[in-house]
């Protein structure tokens, strides 16, 4: 693939996820360095009105407005069109910064399984062993709804647990560390200096788990207390994933081990999503 000559770092795609918004401020004030030898980099706030209102979005989720076939006419749909027109031609790589209320630590979300991303995961995981590499590669690039897919290449950095609308020092530090590694990786990729990448374990998104509801649209269960706060920890066949209010549990019944994440993410609460599930696989980079 070609060298990446320009990188756009995006905060405030969700207006109440403060780590990326404040990292953007640190970049502007030159308190955090995004310069590398082989490319130029800049940063931008994607949804300033949502940031001002300290809310995820004003009318619609901006981070779901970027699949090609979408025809919405909300404020965020128009913002998505503007974003594409203003930034995408000149920035082949977008790094989009997010927070989650789930206890996911620093997670690098990769939307394609191509060698460029597999190697990026290896580079980051090797230098930040506590981080998680999550592939969400089930859709074609053009069908992905996420802002970071507006250009040719894109990734998301997702850091938590942090309540939306709040800002924790440690979460910001984790985001800085992971962003620096992604920028270093792109630099080394451009300069043909990538070597000694090791195979690693990564998570591959499989499905979401809906919270069961009654006829009045009220929940009849919650995430099982044994997995709350334990994102990316294994759940095996026969282990509980939900606890109903009637006194019995709902168990994971399939034969494969699964790794819940985005557990109780508050932004997914209105859609009654309990968690997402992933499988763990070894990624081979050599
Ligand atoms: Zn977000």
């Amino acid at each position: 693939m070609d060298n990446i000559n320009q990188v756009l770092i995006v905060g405030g795609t969700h207006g109440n996820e403060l780590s990326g918004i404040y990292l953007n401020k640190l970049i502007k004030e030159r308190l955090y360095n995004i310069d590398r030898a082989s490319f130029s980099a800049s940063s931008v706030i994607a949804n300033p009105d949502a940031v001002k209102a300290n809310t995820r979005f004003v009318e619609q989720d901006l981070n779901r407005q970027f699949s090609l076939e979408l025809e919405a006419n909300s404020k965020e749909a128009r913002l998505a069109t503007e974003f594409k027109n203003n930034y995408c031609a000149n920035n082949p790589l977008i790094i989009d910064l997010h927070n989650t209320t789930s206890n996911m630590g620093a997670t690098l979300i990769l939307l394609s399984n191509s060698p460029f991303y597999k190697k990026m995961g290896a580079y980051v995981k090797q230098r930040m062993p506590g981080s998680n590499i999550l592939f969400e590669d089930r859709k074609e690039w053009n069908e992905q709804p996420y802002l970071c897919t507006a250009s040719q290449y894109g990734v998301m950095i997702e850091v938590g647990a942090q309540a939306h609308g709040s800002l924790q020092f440690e979460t910001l530090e984790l985001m800085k560390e992971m962003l620096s590694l992604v920028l270093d990786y792109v630099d080394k990729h451009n300069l043909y200096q990538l070597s000694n990448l090791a195979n690693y374990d990564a998570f591959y998104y499989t499905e979401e788990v809906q919270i069961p509801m009654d006829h009045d649209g009220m929940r009849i269960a919650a995430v099982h207390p044994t997995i709350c706060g334990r994102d990316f920890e294994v759940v095996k066949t026969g282990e509980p994933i939900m606890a109903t209010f009637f006194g019995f549990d709902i168990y994971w019944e399939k034969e494969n081990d699964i790794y819940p994440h985005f557990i109780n993410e508050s932004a997914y609460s209105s859609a009654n999503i309990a968690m997402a599930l992933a499988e763990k696989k070894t990624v081979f980079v050599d």
Side-chain angles (χ1 to χ4, degrees):
M1 63 180 271
D2 296 337
N3 283 357
I4 288 169
N5 58 2
Q6 210 158 319
V7 175
L8 183 67
I9 296 155
V10 181
T13 298
H14 291 137
N16 57 1
E17 298 180 7
L18 298 196
S19 300
I21 294 162
Y22 274 86
L23 192 44
N24 176 72
K25 175 178 154 64
L26 299 186
I27 291 166
K28 301 288 185 215
E29 293 172 355
R30 303 215 146 261
L31 293 167
Y32 174 81
N33 176 35
I34 57 171
D35 297 331
R36 297 294 185 277
S38 69
F39 59 84
S40 63
S42 60
S43 74
V44 68
I45 293 291
N47 197 344
D49 288 345
V51 173
K52 216 175 287 173
N54 190 22
T55 181
R56 184 174 175 87
F57 54 79
V58 179
E59 288 179 12
Q60 274 191 317
D61 191 335
L62 177 60
N63 207 30
R64 299 293 183 274
Q65 303 300 319
F66 287 85
S67 60
L68 266 193
E69 76 278 7
L70 204 80
E71 285 179 34
N73 189 24
S74 63
K75 178 180 170 53
E76 274 80 9
R78 292 190 293 277
L79 208 52
T81 306
E82 272 173 42
F83 183 89
K84 282 186 231 168
N85 293 339
N86 290 342
Y87 298 112
C88 291
N90 296 327
N91 293 284
L93 173 64
I94 296 171
I95 305 171
D96 194 14
L97 305 174
H98 289 264
N99 288 123
T100 172
T101 62
S102 307
N103 192 22
M104 286 166 61
T107 298
L108 180 63
I109 301 182
L110 303 172
L111 303 166
S112 155
N113 200 16
S114 75
F116 174 69
Y117 295 108
K118 284 199 216 174
K119 289 179 184 173
M120 183 189 289
Y123 187 89
V124 170
K125 183 74 184 171
Q126 225 166 334
R127 287 158 183 80
M128 199 175 175
S131 67
N132 301 297
I133 313 298
L134 173 63
F135 287 89
E136 271 193 42
D137 59 342
R138 296 201 148 199
K139 287 182 179 166
E140 293 299 314
W141 194 257
N142 286 341
E143 291 164 12
Q144 295 275 8
Y146 305 119
L147 176 139
C148 72
T149 63
S151 278
Q152 200 178 352
Y153 303 100
V155 301
M156 284 182 274
I157 292 177
E158 186 80 63
V159 186
Q162 178 173 284
H164 297 317
S166 74
L167 183 64
Q168 292 172 7
F169 189 84
E170 273 184 17
T171 313
L172 183 57
E173 290 299 304
L174 278 181
M175 183 176 276
K176 283 182 188 170
E177 186 182 353
M178 183 169 267
L179 176 57
S180 291
L181 288 173
V182 172
L183 294 171
D184 290 346
Y185 167 78
V186 174
D187 196 34
K188 291 202 158 57
H189 161 85
N190 284 343
L191 299 169
Y192 304 99
Q193 287 177 353
L194 285 171
S195 56
N196 301 321
L197 293 178
N199 300 338
Y200 61 103
D201 284 343
F203 300 99
Y204 283 77
Y205 166 87
T206 57
E207 63 190 297
E208 284 164 356
V209 176
Q210 289 285 329
I211 301 170
M213 314 288 284
D214 67 14
H215 295 301
D216 298 325
M218 297 290 282
R219 297 174 186 185
I220 58 166
V223 173
H224 200 276
T226 55
I227 63 171
C228 278
R230 296 177 61 185
D231 295 72
F232 293 120
E233 290 189 31
V234 67
V235 171
K236 293 175 176 295
T237 315
E239 292 182 347
I241 55 170
M242 308 281 296
T244 70
F245 306 140
F246 311 117
F248 63 88
D249 294 338
I250 298 171
Y251 298 95
W252 177 245
E253 287 177 349
K254 294 184 192 167
E255 274 180 20
N256 55 327
D257 291 351
I258 43 121
Y259 296 80
H261 56 283
F262 284 118
I263 296 171
N264 271 329
E265 161 58 51
S266 76
Y268 301 157
S269 183
S270 58
N272 294 303
I273 294 168
M275 67 192 89
L277 302 179
E279 292 179 331
K280 189 151 115 175
K281 295 185 202 170
T282 302
V283 180
F284 297 94
V285 286
D286 46 2

